[in-house]
Amino acid sequence: MPASSFAMSRGSVAPTIGALAISIFLVAAASAQNYPARPVRLIVAFTPGGTTDITARLIADKMHDALGEVVAVENKPGANGAIAAQYVAQADADGYTLFFSTVGAVAINPAFRGDLTYDPLRDFAAVGRAAVNSPVLVVNANMKAGSARELAELARKKPGAITVGITGRGAMSDLALQLFEAGAGIQLQSVPYRGAAQAITDILAGHLDGLIGDVPTVMAQVQAGRLKALATAARERSDIFPAVPTFAEQGIPDAICDNWAGVLAPAGTPQGAIAKFNAAMVGALNDPQLRERLHDIGTTPAPSSPEEFGDFLRQEIARWGRVIREKGLKGE
């Protein structure tokens, strides 16, 4: 081809490519501006009726007025959140299929499992953090221990004799217990349960010494005086139990297991759609009525921007990877 013809050919292609890029940009911008134009699916990795599910549904219901469309919660439980995570990672990146994730699926699973089909940083875009719900160490109200330190002293006298329930191997309660043991240099006997309800029954009946469970599951019994809260596995004291010190305050700084929840979108989701969903979620979480309802079920609202949640997620993935390696924590 003559040089002049080649130049003309290149010249004719360049505007076409440029026009196509502009067209795609304008379509994406218009789509984001009109978002949402139909119901949004919010995928929860746990069964209906649990704390995460109820939290997601309360927030989703409150967002309807701001978005003008329904946010429909769907449950896809299993594999500590991996099933739901994989489903959303493979969904269309249009803002209509989002993941209401907890820490396990995106920050803990990568450190325990080498068979994940998704990468939490590569395959997702941060939309915003929603809430925090931390594990609490509780014992029978009659036990002669008023703090985690005092329980550790009892454990040193009888290694392996004190039984503490957990809600499954590799669960946040299990990790909190392992970090407590490692930090205090003690040996407890962990007892796995399918859920906290039976464990609480066993504590009250004297068949179990203690339990590490999340705030909502132990709140009523602690407030009634039948269980005694010794420590929270959190960065800060719970606003539900402000008088209960953290493990860190009692000399065990690594026992931080904040079980946060937040929303993620498939990577490549338009920023306009992410910004709109985040604004509606933050508005809902700042609503006094919703905050009161979440407080009543033992959940602490913790809204953030997409950028803040993205930074937080990277920090959590790095921290859990380091802690699990250094402390030799065991999963399922």
Side-chain angles (χ1 to χ4, degrees), residues 45-61:
F46 300 94
T47 54
T51 301
T52 304
D53 175 72
I54 294 173
T55 300
R57 291 178 187 276
L58 287 173
I59 296 170
D61 288 346

Side-chain angles (χ1 to χ4, degrees), residues 7-32:
M8 289 177 61
S9 175
R10 281 180 36 176
S12 62
V13 171
T16 302
I17 294 175
L20 179 60
I22 292 172
S23 176
I24 292 173
F25 172 79
L26 291 175
V27 169
S31 177

Side-chain angles (χ1 to χ4, degrees), residues 133-181:
N133 191 335
S134 301
V136 183
L137 171 63
V138 298
V139 296
N140 188 293
N142 297 321
M143 176 171 270
K144 295 181 179 178
S147 66
R149 285 178 178 172
E150 292 178 6
L151 186 67
E153 288 301 319
L154 294 177
R156 290 189 184 96
K157 296 174 183 176
K158 298 179 179 180
I162 295 176
T163 56
V164 179
I166 57 173
T167 55
R169 297 295 181 194
M172 290 299 285
S173 57
D174 183 24
L175 300 182
L177 183 61
Q178 291 185 56
L179 288 170
F180 174 35
E181 290 179 291

Side-chain angles (χ1 to χ4, degrees), residues 78-237:
N80 197 27
I83 292 174
Q86 179 180 345
Y87 179 84
V88 176
Q90 296 175 340
D92 291 338
D94 55 11
Y96 289 95
T97 303
L98 304 176
F99 184 23
F100 193 83
S101 178
T102 56
V103 59
V106 291
I108 293 175
N109 274 355
F112 276 139
R113 301 179 56 175
D115 61 344
L116 293 181
T117 58
Y118 62 90
D119 182 300
L121 295 179
R122 179 197 65 208
D123 296 330
F124 294 103
V127 177
R129 194 168 67 163
V132 176
N133 191 335
S134 301
V136 183
L137 171 63
V138 298
V139 296
N140 188 293
N142 297 321
M143 176 171 270
K144 295 181 179 178
S147 66
R149 285 178 178 172
E150 292 178 6
L151 186 67
E153 288 301 319
L154 294 177
R156 290 189 184 96
K157 296 174 183 176
K158 298 179 179 180
I162 295 176
T163 56
V164 179
I166 57 173
T167 55
R169 297 295 181 194
M172 290 299 285
S173 57
D174 183 24
L175 300 182
L177 183 61
Q178 291 185 56
L179 288 170
F180 174 35
E181 290 179 291
I186 58 174
Q187 181 185 352
L188 300 166
Q189 184 182 155
S190 63
V191 183
Y193 285 80
R194 289 186 179 274
Q198 185 58 52
I200 291 173
T201 298
D202 287 350
I203 295 174
L204 297 177
H207 305 314
L208 184 70
D209 295 315
L211 165 72
I212 293 188
D214 60 20
V215 172
T217 59
V218 303
M219 181 172 65
Q221 298 293 343
V222 171
Q223 291 173 342
R226 289 187 284 270
L227 294 180
K228 185 164 42 177
L230 305 186
T232 57
R235 287 179 174 81
E236 300 175 353
R237 293 194 183 196

